[in-house]
Amino acid sequence: MCDVNLELQKYEEALHHAMRYLEGSRDTKDLVEEQRAHVTIGRTYYQQLVDMVFADESDGERVDNLRKLAANHYTNALKLTDTLRHQRLCLDRDIAEMQAGLYYNIGLLYREIQPDFCKSYLEKVLGKAARGSDIQQMAFMELVDIAIGEADLAQAQKYAEQATRYADNGNDRDKMAECAEKQALVFLHQNKIISARGLAKKALKLRECNNTTTAMTIYKLCKLIHLAEQEETKYKNYLKMATLYMRLGVYTYEPISYLEKELDIKDNSNDVKAEIHEKLAECYEKRKKYRLRLCVDTTA
């Protein structure tokens, strides 16, 4: 019932059922179900937090409170995994998987306000998760983004390469494509346009042109940048390049510089200039926005 109400975004009802789940597990002294109940409650608070942020609701105090509540229940679930291990109620590999998922969820709660704290928990995921597992791959992808945000592109490349090695060993085409996309994004930030374009093309081939929005965007952007760098090119579509950067979630120097160059073009109409100003405003606004991900299930 909790999951159904979560899907319908009926958070009060979802929380009511999750709390009853916790009470029932405690009454029966079932530690496995109690751990699951804490994860369910944490996920309920976190989903509400995510929806508030993406709906641009500006109640900062409410957001902080939801984050704390989610973190408390995830932490309680994490503590119970130690009890489950000591009492041999679950296999060690299952305990490790639960802990990896909880480290991931706790880290993501603080992704935007405490990136160093988030990073430390994501690194714990790497120590717990099975090699090549989905949760490990997700942690690598988040670490790449954090490193890019810190302008530590060398570290971002290392994380992307590690993820790629595990994905290649597992021979999972979707994971291999995701890693190629992420490496392409790193190379794009490093201004290695040819390498970025090649990896984006690789991702497109791996996915056979399915679910390739990111790869296709990178490929098109690299092509435009390459054309713009050629001296004989008379018209450089700076606005389109900036738009493609923004579509990739990049709101830093590159799209802003392209928008400013487009603004300097005297032949632009007032409508185009208005669009440029709107995109510039969006870039500056997005640099201060939260970017929260959906949490993962971490139950026994």
Side-chain angles (χ1 to χ4, degrees), residues 112-263:
E112 299 300 328
I113 61 173
Q114 295 181 36
D116 287 341
F117 178 85
C118 173
K119 183 178 177 180
S120 68
Y121 268 75
L122 291 174
E123 288 173 342
K124 289 181 179 181
V125 174
L126 302 182
K128 289 287 184 182
R131 289 188 176 186
S133 63
D134 289 342
I135 193 68
Q136 184 199 55
Q137 208 74 11
M138 292 163 66
F140 272 128
M141 297 299 102
E142 291 294 337
L143 285 166
V144 171
D145 288 340
I146 290 174
I148 289 175
E150 294 173 344
D152 189 351
L153 298 180
Q155 186 60 57
Q157 187 171 342
K158 288 179 181 178
Y159 284 133
E161 288 172 351
Q162 286 177 293
T164 300
R165 280 198 296 272
Y166 290 131
D168 289 346
N169 290 337
N171 202 29
D172 185 318
R173 293 178 69 89
D174 281 338
K175 288 182 181 179
M176 291 165 67
E178 184 181 3
C179 289
E181 285 180 348
K182 195 63 72 170
Q183 280 189 301
L185 188 60
V186 174
F187 281 131
L188 188 62
H189 278 277
Q190 293 174 326
N191 204 31
K192 297 178 180 178
I193 305 304
I194 295 176
S195 297
R197 185 178 176 182
L199 282 163
K201 189 174 182 179
K202 176 183 176 181
L204 289 170
K205 288 182 177 179
L206 284 167
R207 284 183 172 164
E208 299 176 349
C209 295
N210 295 320
N211 301 317
T212 55
T213 302
T214 299
M216 184 60 76
T217 301
I218 294 173
Y219 185 81
K220 288 179 179 178
L221 177 56
C222 290
K223 187 175 181 179
L224 284 173
I225 293 173
H226 178 69
L227 289 172
E229 288 175 346
Q230 297 179 23
E231 293 182 3
E232 64 270 18
T233 303
K234 293 181 179 179
Y235 180 65
K236 307 180 191 303
N237 199 334
Y238 296 124
L239 178 57
K240 189 170 183 179
M241 287 190 282
T243 301
L244 290 171
Y245 265 114
M246 295 168 71
R247 197 176 294 169
L248 292 169
V250 179
Y251 300 94
T252 50
Y253 169 77
E254 291 84 359
I256 291 174
S257 67
Y258 283 134
L259 288 168
E260 289 174 343
K261 287 178 181 178
E262 186 75 26
L263 201 57

Side-chain angles (χ1 to χ4, degrees), residues 96-114:
E97 184 180 344
M98 285 186 277
Q99 291 175 336
L102 286 163
Y103 285 140
Y104 180 85
N105 287 345
I106 293 171
L108 284 196
L109 281 170
Y110 296 91
R111 171 71 172 81
E112 299 300 328
I113 61 173
Q114 295 181 36

Side-chain angles (χ1 to χ4, degrees), residues 9 32 34 37 42 55 59 67 73 75 92 103 133 171 194 214 222 249 261 264 266 284 287:
Q9 296 183 323
V32 173
E34 184 177 347
D59 189 346
R67 181 181 290 108
H73 283 282
T75 301
D92 286 345
Y103 285 140
S133 63
N171 202 29
I194 295 176
T214 299
C222 290
K261 287 178 181 178
D264 290 336
K266 295 179 181 179
Y284 289 119
R287 291 173 73 173

Side-chain angles (χ1 to χ4, degrees), residues 18-66:
M19 287 297 186
R20 289 191 63 185
Y21 181 17
L22 179 61
E23 291 170 4
S25 64
R26 285 174 170 171
D27 289 342
T28 58
K29 297 182 180 179
D30 189 329
L31 293 179
V32 173
E33 293 301 327
E34 184 177 347
Q35 193 271 348
R36 289 175 174 170
H38 278 296
V39 173
T40 302
I41 296 169
R43 187 171 69 248
T44 303
Y45 284 127
Y46 187 57
Q47 185 59 56
Q48 188 174 359
L49 165 63
V50 170
D51 287 348
M52 283 188 68
V53 170
F54 280 110
D56 285 331
E57 296 184 22
S58 57
D59 189 346
E61 185 176 346
R62 176 63 175 155
V63 168
D64 289 341
N65 187 49
L66 288 169

